[in-house]
Amino acid sequence: VSPARSRDPGLFTLALRLTAPEHAPEVVAAIDQALLRARAAPVDPARLADTRSRLRYALASSMNSAAGTAAVVASFVHYG
């Protein structure tokens, strides 16, 4: 979900697919370490600029096909 359309833009979801269940503890530890680093260290200004640019143009680039445009429109449609 796009942070701009999220009710809680500070929340996010990580979706993972393990190749084997026994890798789960190692994967969870790696995610925990990455989140701790992200919280403790400032983001590199060049990486932040690149990310902002990508997010700014992501919507337009996602609509470069009929299927992409349909997916974007469908994400705004609410069925009651």
Side-chain angles (χ1 to χ4, degrees):
V1 173
S2 168
R5 293 183 299 178
S6 174
R7 184 176 289 189
D8 298 310
L11 299 177
F12 57 93
T13 302
L14 299 174
L16 310 165
R17 184 180 307 187
L18 295 172
T19 55
E22 60 269 13
H23 296 157
E26 182 182 344
V27 170
V28 170
I31 292 169
D32 287 343
Q33 288 301 313
L35 292 174
L36 287 171
R37 281 193 311 274
R39 185 173 66 182
V43 176
D44 173 57
R47 184 171 186 183
L48 181 59
D50 289 345
T51 301
R52 283 182 173 161
S53 177
R54 181 182 54 79
L55 290 173
R56 182 175 292 126
Y57 299 108
L59 177 63
S61 67
S62 70
M63 294 191 296
N64 64 357
S65 69
T69 302
V72 169
V73 171
S75 72
F76 287 99
V77 174
H78 296 280
Y79 297 99

